[in-house]
Amino acid sequence: MNSIRHKTKAVFAAGIAGVLVAGVLAVVPASAQDAGRKGYEGVPRTWLWNPNFNEMVDTAKWKKEGPYTIGFSNASISNAWRVAFQHGILWSAGQNSDQIERFLVTDANDDPAKQISDIQDLISQGVDLLLIAPATEEALDSVVGRAMRQGIPVVMVDRKVSSPENYITFVTASDTVVGRMEAQWMAEYLNGEGDIVMLPGIAGASPAEIRIKANKEVFSKYPGINVLEMQYTDWNPATGKATMAALIQKYGDKIDGVLADSALQGYGAIEAYLDAGYGKGEIPPMTGGDVARMYQLAHEYDVPMMGIDYPTSMGITGVETALDVLNGVPVPSRVEVNMQIVTSPDAETASVKADRYLLDHVSMDDPGDLSPSNGLPEGYNPATFDPEYPK
Amino acid sequence: MSAIVATMRRNRLLPNYMVVLLLLAIIIVAGTLISDRFLTVRNFSFLFQQMVVLGLVSLGQTFTILIGGIDLSIGALAGAITVFVASFLDWRPDLIWVAVPVAMMLGAGIGAINGTLSVFLRVHPLIVTLGMSSVIFGLTLMYRKQPGGSVPIVFEDIAYNNFMGIPITAYALVAAFAIAGVWLQRTGTGRMLYFVGGDEEAARLNGVPVRRVKILAYALAGFCTSLAALFLVAKTGVGDPRIGLPLTLQSITPVIVGGTILAGGRGGVFGTFLGVLLVSILNNLLNFAGVSSYWQWVVQGLIIIIAVGIYRSDRRGG
Amino acid sequence: MTEVDNAAIRREGMSMAGMFEKYGLIVFLALLLIIAAVTSPAFLGPQNLVNVLTIAAPLGMVVIGQTFAILVRGLDLSVASLMATVAVLATAFKATDDSVIPLIFVAAIILSAMVGLLNGWLIAKRGVSPFLATLATMIILQGARFAYTGGAPISTLPPGMAWLASGRVFGIPVNLLALGILAVFAGVLLHRSRIGRQIYMVGTNPRAAFLNGTSPERITILCYVLSSVCAGIGGLFLLGYVGTVSNWVGQGYELDSIVAAVMGGVALSGGRGTIVGALLGVVVLVVISNLVLLLGFPIEMQEVIKGVIIIGAAAFYRQRLM
Amino acid sequence: MVEPVLELTLIEKIYPGVKPLDRVSFDVVPGEVHALLGENGAGKSTLTNVIGGAIRPNGGTIKYQGREVEWRNPREARDAGIHVIHQELALFPELTVAENILVDHQPRGRLGLLSARERTRQAKTILKSLGISIDPSARIDELALADQQMVEIAKALVGEVKLLILDEPTAVISGKEVDLLFDRMRHLRSQGIGIVYISHRLEEIFDIADRVTVLKDGKLVGSAPVEELTRSRMINMMVGREITQIFPAKASANTEAAEGPVLRVRNLASGKRVRDVSLDVRAGEIVGLAGMVGSGRTEVADAIFGIAPIDHGSIELDGSRIAGHRPSVSIGRGIGYLTEDRKGSGLFLDMSVAANIFAPALSDVSKGMLVDNGREREMAEGQVKAFSVATPTVSTRVGALSGGNQQKILFSRWTRIADRLLILDEPTRGVDVGAKVEIYRIIRELAERGLAILMISSELPEVVGMSDRVVVMAHGEVTGEVAGDEITEDSIMHFAVAAPNRASDAEREAAA
């Protein structure tokens, strides 16, 4: 298990001295270490290809003697993604119980107002550091800033708050990258010509809106790609299916591609095609990652697809980054975790090459809503997983 | 004090309030045992900052429930007003004195529309306010889907700062409840809410302008919602169409816990205040105890059942 | 006395209004279908109509149950939460074999009936208002469900569950067939049987029902059990439609089912309404949402249209009835 | 001639298809009690609603205190000094007596705020002036119906009243309370207040009224000083035909005493109102159960039918106790109970005539678990004919029928069920004279067919005219029993006002 820590550390170390990166990675060959750590191999392309040096944050002034009390305020644990994410965090806290005395957890049911109260309640309990996955970027900004000004360091994970001065660092994967990859793949797969429909998530939710923006940015370079229609799906399979069913009736075979920003509505869309009588090999190309069922259906019915999971494993990195801050180790101002590109065999395009094909990423026996990029030990089962951690 | 007790006894409310007060006491004792940081000035001043939004929407809901109605548009309305205030102040931060009254008028106005529709279309308020909730939310989304806008820092300070060691929100909350309480108990118009809720037909025969009173109750609910939204926007600094949505159902529990019955005509704001206190302190305690939201839901459901159990003796049902 | 009689005579006199009350929804639905056919050519496509009805089927089942609860002067907010709980229960067998499906149905119906009993007991025996009792049940079920699944249900479902949504028997979609059977059963129970008569008696005048030898308590409990069981069955069919389990299967159905029933002429004051009317309400609701999709309205317009139609349809009914 | 305080000229009210008021003129002078008579549906309530501002007429003029007025709502009329006391009390059960009395004139204390103390004080004064002792801080739903009525009257005395309209105030009170009410009315009359008085009880008209106006079918029949009228003349005006005999002939004699009683109640105690009641009802006999309102009569009936618990004593039907006593069981044993509250606990107003008739006996019109609609309709048509219910079809909503016809439907329902005992609680309440006569005939016929009938009534003439035997109650106990020629209003009142004592016990022993 130590290897995980080491590798993360390695990534951070690489950040401090960019030129040494290759060497460090050579010492720690990712593939050898990552048995059981699906979706977490390699370092992020966004970092590798980024021509700028990392901006490092000096955390000396937050250095504190352990053991620590850390508070984690989660936006919610109301869906499979967020549960796996929280599992990663709790597991990681357990792995570091030598440094952590108490690890306090709250979840806010996706209610920003409750999360403000949660954060205040954690402060009341005297935490040394706050690890926050905010329900919204904007609404939590003010209370997070106040925590920092009271001398409590804040590490954001999954989502951030709007003002960069209100937190030390942000552990995340990039919604922009997800959006761009999907659109780029779709455009290239269709050779720049075709009518598509877009099925984004929840209207106004920042991951959905960022991805839409990135999608559109890519399509602006492909005048041949025509967006027939965009309909929000609430990241709900039933809504995704009903919406897609109606769109199939409206446009029929005119639809050359379906750009879903997640598999949650994506697999609903595949099912809508199946219900409409489309068979194996007849369903147009689709995008969408995050849960296993989409990959499984795509395999079963030969749907050309590209998926990119928003990895739940970022929670693990979040805890480790938090400890770095308390230890006074400098951290990058933005810590990105890697994402895997998964495609159907033969569905790679010029710019979007697969890290894995469908069945390397999930097995047909995996539960449909398992998040494959969880970074947790082999055999992880969210229904039974109950990590030990210092309460 | 003895006068208050006498009034309560006369209204047969004392034993019920005693139960709520007892529960409060138990929670506070439990909190103290769980953590030595529970019974601290900091925790309780945070508590008062947290209570203000729930308190104000519950106060608003008390009016509609008192007349035997309900308002399910509170959440959508609160979100809409935060969007209005944050967008307006983002454009002209100097015009707070315009934004605040306009927000209040907006709240009262939309509340009045709720009441008017319910009265004149003769549609059950449950359906009217549910429909209005959809309309308000849709219109808000047309203007702004994502959270955004901003408010001046003075505005935010209202939500977080203290005055003479006590959070400003605490003054606001107590003042709002005191005014509402005196208005309901000690003015003619206020009493009319009880008449209408107690027996609409009798109220009509006694010359109470039933329709106007009903519209007024919904307008007040909208007004209180706008106040809550102002504190919400002060707390978060942005306008967010979705931020109020959970408030709709949240606003009902404290009212019921406080002994205002859904059938209307009985109850009052003092009970609601105790209800808000109970719910808020309980949430605080559950956080201190590290209880996940799953079990918090179960506790919420049980509170409703317990509360209704307390007031069950009344023949018209909780 | 005279006033009442006059009002009654007035009501009888306006038989035209009575006609509207009876056939208003059908006229409205016809108008809606014409508008749909004109504005969106895709609407009348046979596959689209099947789609619409397929989506309507689970909601229809829930509405049938909801109608029973509303008829006895109540409503049931716990239906959606129960649907998801039943869906989670269906995974508890961890079966990949279709032979378990009957067992899943039996278990779902038993669980639903127990939830219905709890609701009915709280309402009929303990005098809790239906709104609060079912709200509390809704929240408690939600918490219990999440606590059981740890937030992440494992969707091990027999493959045959999908057949519930896509399969056909004699060319008729299975879920429509099931809805039809349930509707006929509910219709006969409500409109032809002694129990149905007693339900209307309790809904119209519980005290008089008691004095006429009917037990309002038992009838009320029965109605909530029926409501829950219908919701439970609807939950399984919706699960078949969705394909995987989540903790939120059926979210929104509690309000949609009430709205559909009210639009179909089931009065919230109890004792008035029919199964056919309630199902017409369902059709109106799903046709509207299908239409706004086909017309490509953005989400915010959909919300506004939905709200206006809810209020409008309810107003249409009220004015005829009062 | 004194200037009338109120003068209606050719008032007209038109609804589609009906004319509840057809050019009616009516006036009230200060200091008179003007009785308004008519059968149900004659237009009395519509007329009072026009006066009180609740209904706006389609034609005609209203002159009030010499000026032509047009009320826009009840409040305007009230502010001008017209106070209507409706038959259905306009009280708030959750609120206190004081608050109900001063609902419209809440007294203010400091800072212009309402003062509960002042409210209680003023309410006390008003109640005192009425000569009644009710705690002003008691809640309305804790009071007896008669006391609630007094609160309603007390409300009228707040502020300035010029014209008081009482719509059947004595429907729910009796005896001493009626006397008290009339006392207060005379007192108000002497102060120059005009009073419009509506009642079905003709005796009261002679007692209190100065002038009588009769309406029929929305038209004015006539108006005359009470001295110029006789009882039968009034009935003729109301009914529009000659009614020679109101009550049918009684059973010749009680010859069936050899048989045991159908109903045998011994030392019954139930709830707060029934302390010790014993009575018998035999087959073919009509037993009147008399007493003041609140004496426990209805509660005895409730206990017999299985609604109220039996705390002590026994109830036997045909010599055996009723096991698992509740309404469904009583119905199974052949007991019928026609309650006093027709709308509240009798009818399903939204349901059809047929459904109402067979409500307690669904099995009679069912095959298995299903209702046989054809048979039900057929049987219902037979019932409707037998009881001469005026209804277009048997699928008509009961709520659309008149009070008399509704009552006949209840009779047809319960006489089908009751083959042993029929309990009637105020069988003619709110029923007009014409329908009353028919109902009396039906009751007697039922008795002649061998049914045991227990009849509760507040109307003494009815009790005297119908009963073969009368059991009188006071304060939850039986205080006396009279039979045959001894049944007079005086003898009943004698026992009804008696304090319960051992002597009455002895009498009861003798009677049993």
Side-chain angles (χ1 to χ4, degrees), chain D residues 59-120:
Chain D
T61 55
I62 307 171
K63 261 171 108 179
Y64 179 64
Q65 292 187 311
R67 281 217 326 275
E68 197 164 312
V69 292
E70 206 168 307
W71 309 128
R72 274 175 308 192
N73 52 48
R75 201 180 176 89
E76 281 190 2
R78 173 180 311 223
D79 288 345
I82 297 179
H83 197 101
V84 186
I85 297 177
H86 294 271
Q87 202 173 353
E88 263 134 56
L89 299 181
L91 296 174
F92 302 99
E94 314 269 332
L95 302 178
T96 63
V97 168
E99 199 154 356
N100 269 284
I101 291 176
L102 293 154
V103 59
D104 229 9
H105 299 82
Q106 305 264 358
R108 278 157 207 282
R110 273 171 303 171
L111 300 170
L113 295 174
L114 304 183
S115 156
R117 190 179 306 169
E118 180 63 16
R119 187 158 62 213
T120 310

Side-chain angles (χ1 to χ4, degrees), chain A residues 9-345:
Chain A
K9 286 278 164 64
V11 173
F12 296 146
I16 304 164
V19 284
L20 291 178
V21 139
V24 175
L25 287 174
V27 175
V28 192
S31 56
Q33 300 207 356
D34 283 334
R37 295 219 36 206
K38 279 180 165 185
Y40 200 66
E41 55 192 25
V43 294
R45 265 148 287 219
T46 41
W47 176 73
L48 277 179
W49 288 91
N50 185 351
N52 303 315
F53 285 102
N54 260 344
E55 191 185 318
M56 296 303 289
V57 183
D58 178 13
T59 56
K61 71 166 172 168
W62 306 106
K63 188 173 161 66
K64 212 171 172 181
E65 282 306 306
Y68 310 114
T69 298
I70 293 178
F72 169 48
S73 167
N74 199 351
S76 82
I77 39 176
S78 64
N79 61 50
W81 191 94
R82 299 213 72 84
V83 170
F85 167 70
Q86 176 150 322
H87 280 161
I89 286 179
L90 299 183
W91 177 78
S92 184
Q95 295 297 307
N96 293 292
S97 53
D98 52 331
Q99 292 189 65
I100 302 173
E101 187 184 23
R102 292 171 71 213
F103 194 80
L104 311 171
V105 184
T106 63
D107 60 90
N109 288 330
D110 299 309
D111 176 358
K114 178 172 191 307
Q115 197 163 14
I116 292 175
S117 307
D118 286 349
I119 291 171
Q120 290 184 329
D121 289 350
L122 289 171
I123 295 172
S124 284
Q125 293 182 77
V127 291
D128 299 316
L129 178 140
L130 279 167
L131 185 62
I132 298 175
T136 72
E137 235 178 61
E138 299 81 0
L140 275 300
D141 195 36
S142 176
V143 72
V144 169
R146 278 167 202 274
M148 282 281 276
R149 269 170 265 143
Q150 283 175 49
I152 299 169
V154 177
V155 172
M156 309 305 298
V157 59
D158 167 30
R159 298 175 202 152
K160 61 182 176 59
V161 293
S162 16
S163 313
E165 67 273 20
N166 284 345
Y167 56 88
I168 295 167
T169 181
F170 174 34
V171 180
T172 184
S174 167
D175 284 311
T176 318
V177 169
V178 172
R180 272 199 198 122
M181 287 280 184
E182 288 168 348
Q184 188 68 33
W185 177 83
M186 183 62 77
E188 292 183 359
Y189 191 84
L190 296 176
N191 295 317
E193 290 292 332
D195 295 323
I196 63 159
V197 293
M198 286 172 66
L199 300 178
I202 296 176
S206 67
E209 300 294 341
I210 293 171
R211 290 172 192 199
I212 291 170
K213 212 172 155 190
N215 293 155
K216 290 188 169 162
E217 184 189 288
V218 171
F219 290 146
S220 68
K221 298 195 195 77
Y222 291 88
I225 297 288
N226 170 34
V227 177
L228 292 170
E229 196 162 326
M230 183 180 99
Q231 286 288 349
Y232 289 95
T233 58
D234 295 351
W235 282 315
N236 177 327
T239 315
K241 188 172 177 181
T243 307
M244 194 65 230
L247 293 174
I248 293 170
Q249 289 317 308
K250 192 171 173 186
Y251 298 108
D253 291 334
K254 202 165 176 249
I255 301 171
D256 299 317
V258 178
L259 195 84
D261 76 348
S262 165
L264 286 171
Q265 68 270 28
Y267 77 74
I270 295 182
E271 288 191 346
Y273 267 104
L274 295 174
D275 280 6
Y278 287 69
K280 195 165 175 172
E282 295 171 359
I283 300 172
M286 292 201 182
T287 61
D290 292 345
V291 293
R293 186 162 168 88
M294 175 118 186
Y295 301 114
Q296 293 164 337
L297 283 175
H299 169 74
E300 203 176 337
Y301 295 99
D302 274 349
V303 185
M305 79 158 283
M306 194 283 298
I308 181 162
D309 296 344
Y310 197 68
T312 55
S313 58
M314 66 181 68
I316 298 172
T317 317
V319 173
E320 286 155 359
T321 310
L323 287 174
D324 284 344
V325 170
L326 287 169
N327 286 326
V329 179
V331 294
S333 59
R334 181 185 169 95
V335 181
E336 281 202 18
V337 296
N338 198 12
M339 290 184 282
Q340 303 299 312
I341 293 171
V342 182
T343 70
S344 312

Side-chain angles (χ1 to χ4, degrees), chain D residues 332-348:
Chain D
R333 295 279 306 255
I335 304 178
Y337 181 21
L338 198 142
T339 54
E340 60 178 330
D341 185 358
R342 191 165 61 223
K343 286 180 180 147
S345 59
L347 291 165
F348 305 95

Side-chain angles (χ1 to χ4, degrees), chain A residues 77-79 83 203 229 231-232 237-238 241-243 245-246 249-250 267 271 275 293 367 369 381-383, chain C residues 42 47-48 51 55 146 150-155 166 241-242 244-245 248 290 293-297 299 302:
Chain A
I77 39 176
S78 64
N79 61 50
V83 170
E229 196 162 326
Q231 286 288 349
Y232 289 95
K241 188 172 177 181
T243 307
Q249 289 317 308
K250 192 171 173 186
Y267 77 74
E271 288 191 346
D275 280 6
R293 186 162 168 88
D369 62 350
N381 179 345
Chain C
Q47 183 60 40
N48 189 57
N51 283 344
I55 299 161
F146 272 92
I154 294 303
S155 325
S166 54
Y241 180 78
V242 178
T244 58
V245 178
W248 299 111
N290 182 257
L293 261 174
L294 288 179
L295 295 179
F297 283 135
I299 185 158
Q302 294 178 24

